[in-house]
Amino acid sequence: MWKIHLRAVLAATTLLAGLVAGAGAASAASVVEVTGFGSNPGALKMFRYVPDGLPTGRPVVVALHGCTQDAAGYGTGSGWTQLADRFGFSVVLPEQQSANNFSRCFNWFEPGDITRGQGEAESITQMVRRQLDDTGADPARVEVTGLSSGGAMTAVMLAAYPDMFAGGGVVAGIAYRCATSMVDAFSCMNPGKDLSPAQLGDAVRGASGHTGPWPTVSIWQGDADYTVRPSNATELVEQWTNVHGIPATPTRTDTVAGYPHAVYEGGGRTLVETYTITGMGHGQPLDPGTGEGQCGQAGAYLLDVDICAAWHLSAAWGLSG
């Protein structure tokens, strides 16, 4: 009889635990679509991730996927949603549509999509404004990052809306206005162009009426990337050091997780930095796991190379503190 009673108690306890666990899973945050965020001239979709119980006054990260990817897959795979839970910020995840670009690449080379107030660039800023309104986030702590076409669009957002973003992380991306047509875009990607620092800087300065301060820029590039050649990282360095008015030679160099890291300082601050991921092809650097410095889930163009770009960007932007 006591055995029967004990079994009943154990069964009830197990059922209760299952219900509690199920309730927790049901209430966990997830990537959700947001509609009606503005006029949306670029015809993009808006997705976002807001951790449960996120207080007001927290930062926002805009994370832009690469070609063939989608918002939720990139947000999770890159590690940004994981870090949002860990450090307490929200993530805006714009998504390209195949009607705009067959491969779902952001149109970082189309003048109508990379000009302030127009197209895809304006759609992304409308998403940011909606996120700030809905979450009460800190407008001075909005960052933008992306991979490949999303990395190139990150450079667009930093140039066209430097008053909106405190910093940017360009992963396997391309300098602003390297290309202004699809045919031109392939030349920028491979073999790459060699514009003068002044030409590159003038492109940014001409993109808005902004006169500073300018966003900080972190540039990530695999040295075995044959899709977006490493010379594009050099162009980005020359563009943004010129904009910041600092030399295009590093203030200091070191290694992080065994990879070369160069820092370009001005006024005692890191304004531009580069991470060169030796042996890595085209993709987002990851270090899957839950330990210090780890994040991400490996997959197509999401590469486990023992360093997670999203984590280091979070640290550079003061999100992890």
Side-chain angles (χ1 to χ4, degrees):
M1 182 176 177
W2 284 105
K3 289 182 179 179
I4 294 172
H5 179 67
L6 180 60
R7 288 190 188 119
V9 171
L10 289 172
T13 303
T14 301
L15 176 61
L16 179 61
L19 290 172
V20 170
S27 66
S30 60
V31 174
V32 297
E33 184 175 1
V34 179
T35 59
F37 56 84
S39 60
N40 191 18
L44 303 178
K45 285 189 175 182
M46 175 183 177
F47 292 82
R48 70 180 174 196
Y49 184 84
V50 181
D52 290 338
L54 185 72
T56 60
R58 299 302 299 155
V60 175
V61 173
V62 180
L64 298 158
H65 65 76
C67 300
T68 74
Q69 295 177 322
D70 60 24
Y74 180 68
T76 302
S78 62
W80 281 115
T81 58
Q82 177 185 357
L83 295 176
D85 283 329
R86 191 185 304 179
F87 299 141
F89 57 85
S90 66
V91 186
V92 173
L93 296 158
E95 186 175 274
Q96 182 60 287
Q97 302 302 293
S98 56
N100 298 334
N101 184 294
F102 181 76
S103 298
R104 297 199 306 278
C105 309
F106 289 103
N107 288 314
W108 56 270
F109 46 82
E110 292 287 357
D113 284 310
I114 65 175
T115 300
R116 186 180 176 98
Q118 298 182 26
E120 293 175 12
E122 175 60 21
S123 289
I124 294 167
T125 65
Q126 291 178 5
M127 296 179 199
V128 173
R129 295 184 192 112
R130 172 66 182 270
Q131 187 77 343
L132 292 171
D133 288 344
D134 286 355
T135 65
D138 185 350
R141 301 184 70 191
V142 180
E143 320 286 349
V144 60
T145 183
L147 165 66
S148 191
S149 73
M153 187 56 79
T154 294
V156 169
M157 301 311 298
L158 294 173
Y161 296 90
D163 48 333
M164 176 170 280
F165 300 102
V170 181
V171 184
I174 294 168
Y176 178 63
R177 284 198 176 268
C178 176
T180 54
S181 70
M182 183 177 290
V183 173
D184 206 20
F186 287 107
S187 297
C188 289
M189 293 164 61
N190 191 345
K193 291 186 177 180
D194 185 15
L195 302 176
S196 73
Q199 286 176 298
L200 292 162
D202 286 347
V204 173
R205 285 183 287 268
S208 72
H210 192 69
T211 58
W214 298 95
T216 61
V217 184
S218 182
I219 300 157
W220 294 71
Q221 179 69 47
D223 73 353
D225 188 337
Y226 296 101
T227 302
V228 174
R229 296 295 293 160
S231 60
N232 286 287
T234 302
E235 295 289 280
L236 281 161
V237 167
E238 292 180 350
Q239 183 164 67
W240 286 98
T241 53
N242 184 270
V243 168
H244 280 288
I246 58 176
T249 53
T251 307
R252 56 185 171 87
T253 60
D254 57 11
T255 59
V256 178
Y259 296 113
H261 174 229
V263 175
Y264 305 77
E265 294 180 345
R269 296 176 59 226
T270 297
L271 300 178
V272 179
E273 66 176 352
T274 62
Y275 287 84
T276 303
I277 312 303
T278 51
M280 189 184 80
H282 191 62
Q284 177 95 10
L286 307 177
D287 184 14
T290 57
E292 182 76 6
Q294 291 187 302
C295 62
Q297 298 177 14
Y301 306 110
L302 300 167
L303 308 178
D304 182 356
V305 291
D306 297 324
I307 184 171
C308 187
W311 191 93
H312 286 276
L313 289 170
S314 296
W317 296 332
L319 307 184
S320 62

